[in-house]
Amino acid sequence: MANGCRLPPLPLLWFHTVPCFLLSVASGMSAEHPLEWVNPLAGAAGGQKAGQHHSAGNTLPLVARPWGFNHWAPVSTLDATSWWFDSTADTFHGIRCTHQPSPWIGDYAWFMLRPFLGWTSDEWLGFTSYQTAGAIRPYLIDITAGPYGVRTEFAPSEHGAVLRVTFPPSVPTDERRVCAWVPLGSGKDDEDEKRAKKTGTPTGECRGVGSGVVELTSRKYAQGVPEDADFAFFARLEAPGLRVQEIEEKAPDCFEHGIKYLRKDDGKMNMDKHPRSSESSAANCQARCARSEGCAFFTWWPDGGCHLLDARIKKEKGLGLFSGPARCPKAPDKGTPKVKRNCCFLLGDAEQALHALTSEVAGLSLEEVAAEGQRSWEEQLLQVQVLDAGPASRTTAWRLEVFYTSLYLGGVTDNGFWDTYRTVYPFLALAYPERLGELLEGWLNAYRQGGWLPKWASPGYRDSMTGTFADVVLADAILKNISGFDHSVAWEAMKKDSYQESGPKDSTRGKHGLSIYSEQGYIPVDAGIPEACSRTLDFAYADAAVSAAGRHFGSLFDPDQKLMGRRLKSGSFNAEAAGVWGNGFTEGSAWHHSFPAFNVSALAELHGGGEMLLQRLWDLLAAPSFFEVGSYKGEIHEMREMRMMSMGQYAHNNQPGHHLLYLFAMLGDHNVTAQLVRQVLTRGYFMEGYSGDEDNGEMGAWFVLSALGLYAAATGTTDEYVLGAVPLFPRTLLRSLDVTVEAPSAAEESPAVLQVLWRSAPLARPAVRYASLRLGGVLHWVSPGDAKYSVVASRLRGALHGAMRRAKQLERAVASAPAPQPEQVPGAGPGPTPRLLAVLPALALGSFCCQQWRARGEGEEKGE
């Protein structure tokens, strides 16, 4: 271990933790250490080609602290797209500091840390195969890359990290180095590099500023940042006593992206006597071509494959590939500043390496930082603790792995509200209510700084997906009386989204098409506004959440199809089949967008009553899984994934349909919901990933909520959670709310529901209010096969639970003086203040919200 190098982290900032109280597992498999069940590689297989054909999650194996400022992941493909990690690739290129919420959105403020890994054929890469098993954990990366056995260990803090690289004796002393690198963008379509040329500001740079110190700047934007913004990410890396080398990098300016060259005569990819080699970049492949006799063109693959050809070539499309001539023509200097983008720490002799190894930053070694990260993750995951996992079996192991992997993947920092409002935020209210308030205050800071709530923050404003669902998230938190954010500022932000339209040239903020929506009650598909049908329904949902009513609702209902239709300015409907995708609907067809849950009584009325609505839902499940590509003009992965689920037109792979199965319970047929939800839990989730994109934790949050038997089908318009299937585990604890979920029949494949007890009393209907859950207690599911004593035992546990809770409350009351009552602000407290009640009807969406809110306030203390 003497030949190592360590890069210390930035100073640790505070990280709030909660005490951890382990409870014994009653029977069956243990879940006392949930981190053991987390699989960071779930959903990360396939890379770009597979991820666009059929998503298994499109995730990254993120290594970070819970709620950490930065995330880190190994790079296994060096793909120039957002698919730079593929768990099936076996090459290690380095570690990337990433803020990427989704490959469809892209990364920003990123750079790479890369040790020198070899010296054969390629200056950097060598042959660096590695085994993924055990190499990546949520708190640690530990990779030994062959054939030379270079070991890279990495442990993150909340903002920084500690890196240690151990070189074996076979690596020459003068080649032992670790570099921080901000790569130049390649290809003519790189928006960051276009911006850099226009402004004269490079997308990245680094410089040595003293003995063993590097300062690095990344201006990788991934769009979403206003033209006039000087957005940059700054990092400082320290390895005391080591010399720093700065390396200039030249941009490749003549590569073709998405093209491959083949031999004209036989279609092969390589010249004779020049087989495929491994190169870490297109530039290195081009350099090989330039020094190889007879080479005129090259093709470089993201897995490192470099292919050389002479002048007798033909072109074909090649997704993600780079091709070009042996040499780029020299471009005139246009005044772009020459900067260093690759700064290396040189280890030199063994004595210097030993010094770097033994020095510690802020008093912490790599082992200590990793152990602290491990403890933080355990505490985080134990907030939703499976007290009894059920019998030891392969099924139970599968349930635990998917459950806790989904908890691990539930990120919220940069996210699209179109996805996350449906499951992530309702789940946070159950598991992490204190943290939720802090997160919402962060989004209000975005409003204070930029003037609007974001739709898809990454990091700025982006018009990806429709609607203003940050309004729904904030409204839901106000209904649930979540503290920790400014309710008055939240109301101000929601009101602005409700009344002010997007600018004519900028639809990234507010509601695009609000004026015609307000005039006609819907957005016509011939009004020149994209995704008009989905946009109408999404606007109506936000209105319903902000005002708790929805008179706009129903204006798209086509009585002939009994679905939402594509309505024209004239008021008539375009006659298109229900299975046509696009043409007004976002990532789906009329089937997927026709059953919004924010006003089920009005939806039932449109269909002619609850029974007719239930029949239409059965029609959705019974219809063949056919689709017509519509305005998408070709198959997209969401279409194929819907078909693979084989549940008719129910598309669990995409978010708009995630509440549909819970409508049966909302309409009085709880056991149909229970059966169908269990079916999706089994079909749509697996140890390797998910049945569709795991967008910001949304898909996983659906699994966790449904595994608990709770689902917020109408987020933001009510604080109720609909009861679904019998939970997957016999006993689970929501620690923050002090709620225990019990299901004696959990191990059965699809148990029926006889009744559900909350605090020992049967619930009158399949729903429970968040205000009631905040009182703490036992939620007990009764199935036909349960032992007779299980209900009695549950009531005894509930009585004990209540007594202990009251004792704790009394103890706290005696230990501290009564806190002064805070001044009421709009939206705070159990119900709205008179000022809020006066404002809500001004949205022209009805006044029954006032009665509804008042009823919530009156029922709060009763736990109804």
Side-chain angles (χ1 to χ4, degrees), residues 333-353:
D333 189 349
K334 298 182 180 180
T336 302
K338 294 182 179 180
V339 297
K340 308 296 192 298
R341 309 177 69 98
N342 201 12
C343 289
C344 299
F345 293 89
L346 306 180
L347 269 68
D349 57 31
E351 184 178 348
Q352 283 185 318

Side-chain angles (χ1 to χ4, degrees), residues 194-216:
K194 288 181 183 178
R195 179 175 180 153
K197 283 189 176 182
K198 182 177 180 180
T199 62
T201 304
T203 57
E205 55 188 314
C206 65
R207 60 193 181 100
V209 292
S211 177
V213 178
V214 167
E215 290 184 350
L216 178 144

Side-chain angles (χ1 to χ4, degrees), residues 105 107-109 220-225 231 414 443 446 454 456-462:
I105 292 296
D107 206 348
Y108 73 90
K220 298 284 190 178
Y221 294 121
Q223 303 176 349
V225 175
F231 176 81
D414 289 311
W443 295 125
W456 228 119
S458 58
Y461 294 102
R462 184 190 290 259

